[in-house]
Amino acid sequence: SENSAFGLSLTPKTNVGYFITGIERSIEGSNETFISNIVGAGGINNLSLNYANSSFKKLRLGVSAQFLFGEITETESNFVSFSTLRIEDRNTYRGFQFDFGLQYDLLSQSTLGLTFKTPSTLSGERERTVILTGFEPFEDTQDLDSFQLPAEIGMGFSMLIKDRLLINTDYNRVLWNATDQRDQVGRFVDQNLIGLGLQYTIRPNGFKYWQRVQFRGGFQLDTGYLSVNNETINGYHITAGLGLPLGKLNNSRINIQYSFQRNGAISDGLFQENYHTLTVNFSFANRWFIRRKID
């Protein structure tokens, strides 16, 4: 309707990727030790049905029902004397979560947003394969202990200055500590995500092409949610881009963006990952589906 809308989306929720080497462990009942290497990959996907309502003058409300599903694999290689023990786990998860949000217009060109995501319990199943040098592989399937997804609290602020400079900033806190969870790699800790984005247009309605080009830049700091050997795997993300107009009478654009992302640290057996990404996309904002009043 005029004041409400539904939406359906499929997006990634979590991304798991780590490679940890040189973990030294003791052999129970002896003074000997062995070395472990652990590789993890996968993630959880989010299929969500969303509803938003803007019946109030300055206030907009939204709610989302989400179905979470995905697969996470972990391979642990243990080296003891002249033998190798390899444990391969394939974990699948599923569950539901709910999300609530609101936006409030403080002034004519500034908006405050708040979000809250409920905690969720994911049920899971594990398929494990154990391979020991000189023996036949052993396979086993069993239900996993429920995995707890934490509550999330977020807030953001957006301001448009003189129709030229757009400033967006947001903060999100993920309450992992409340779940009291850990795995054989490390323990989960509260995660903070802080972001800042800027967009500048010289003259949005200018006659010259370059006056309507949008210049963009952004930065995000992620304190991380996994602590290994008392060191949190954190990272940051820097972006820069352009929005190139496709015409004078519409808002369609070609968007070009470069981003650099760094995760992890080179210490205590951890690896550092650096990503360079170039993105090109098109946004079409023509009025294709509006019925003409006069032909």
Side-chain angles (χ1 to χ4, degrees), residues 14-289:
T14 65
N15 177 33
V16 176
Y18 52 87
F19 181 23
I20 303 175
T21 64
I23 301 177
E24 186 174 358
R25 296 176 175 174
S26 299
I27 298 177
E28 190 173 346
S30 71
N31 294 324
E32 296 185 25
T33 61
F34 65 96
I35 301 298
S36 295
N37 297 333
I38 300 177
V39 180
I44 303 296
N45 304 303
N46 182 358
L47 177 64
S48 63
L49 177 64
N50 314 301
Y51 173 75
N53 188 286
S54 60
S55 298
F56 303 97
K57 184 177 180 181
K58 294 184 177 182
L59 181 65
R60 293 171 294 279
L61 304 174
V63 62
S64 174
Q66 304 168 357
F67 174 60
L68 307 174
F69 65 97
E71 177 181 293
I72 298 174
T73 61
E74 184 174 271
T75 301
E76 178 180 351
S77 301
N78 302 294
F79 305 95
V80 185
S81 299
F82 298 101
S83 299
T84 300
L85 174 64
R86 184 182 177 91
I87 302 174
E88 299 176 353
D89 287 340
R90 178 176 175 268
N91 304 324
T92 56
Y93 294 95
R94 65 194 66 87
F96 290 91
Q97 194 169 34
F98 297 92
D99 204 356
F100 304 90
L102 64 86
Q103 290 180 340
Y104 183 75
D105 296 331
L106 299 176
L107 299 172
S108 60
Q109 293 184 313
S110 62
T111 301
L112 176 68
L114 300 173
T115 62
F116 173 72
K117 191 180 294 292
T118 63
S120 175
T121 300
L122 301 183
S123 60
E125 182 180 80
R126 181 182 66 194
E127 297 179 7
R128 169 169 288 182
T129 302
V130 180
I131 304 172
L132 180 62
T133 304
F135 293 87
E136 290 292 326
F138 170 76
E139 297 183 353
D140 178 52
T141 301
Q142 64 180 29
D143 291 335
L144 290 170
D145 292 336
S146 296
F147 184 82
Q148 304 295 319
L149 280 178
E152 300 181 28
I153 302 172
M155 65 179 301
F157 179 75
S158 175
M159 175 181 289
L160 181 62
I161 301 176
K162 294 184 178 180
D163 292 326
R164 297 184 179 184
L165 177 62
L166 178 64
I167 302 174
N168 290 301
T169 180
D170 57 75
Y171 169 74
N172 197 47
R173 184 172 180 86
V174 188
L175 306 176
W176 283 102
N177 279 341
T179 66
D180 194 26
Q181 292 183 120
R182 61 179 302 120
D183 62 14
Q184 56 183 324
V185 176
R187 62 186 180 88
F188 296 107
V189 297
D190 284 354
Q191 179 184 19
N192 297 292
L193 296 149
I194 303 171
L196 174 65
L198 302 173
Q199 176 178 283
Y200 180 73
T201 309
I202 297 176
R203 290 186 63 185
N205 298 316
F207 291 101
K208 297 181 179 179
Y209 181 85
W210 58 270
Q211 293 178 330
R212 305 193 308 275
V213 173
Q214 294 176 343
F215 300 88
R216 301 169 181 149
F219 175 80
Q220 184 187 67
L221 175 65
D222 181 358
T223 63
Y225 65 90
L226 183 63
S227 177
V228 180
N229 297 327
N230 293 322
E231 181 168 349
T232 304
I233 302 176
N234 54 24
Y236 62 86
H237 196 173
I238 300 173
T239 64
L242 298 172
L244 305 176
L246 289 178
K248 177 66 175 64
L249 301 178
N250 59 65
N251 290 321
S252 299
R253 294 180 181 275
I254 300 176
N255 301 293
I256 302 173
Q257 176 181 286
Y258 165 77
S259 65
F260 172 75
Q261 183 176 357
R262 172 170 290 175
N263 297 322
I266 306 177
S267 62
D268 296 326
L270 300 177
F271 278 75
Q272 187 179 87
E273 298 176 312
N274 297 321
Y275 297 90
H276 298 271
T277 306
L278 181 64
T279 304
V280 179
N281 67 66
F282 300 85
S283 61
F284 298 102
N286 289 337
R287 298 184 175 183
W288 293 342
F289 305 108

Side-chain angles (χ1 to χ4, degrees), residues 291-295:
R291 181 183 300 173
R292 294 186 180 185
K293 294 184 178 180
I294 300 176
D295 288 328

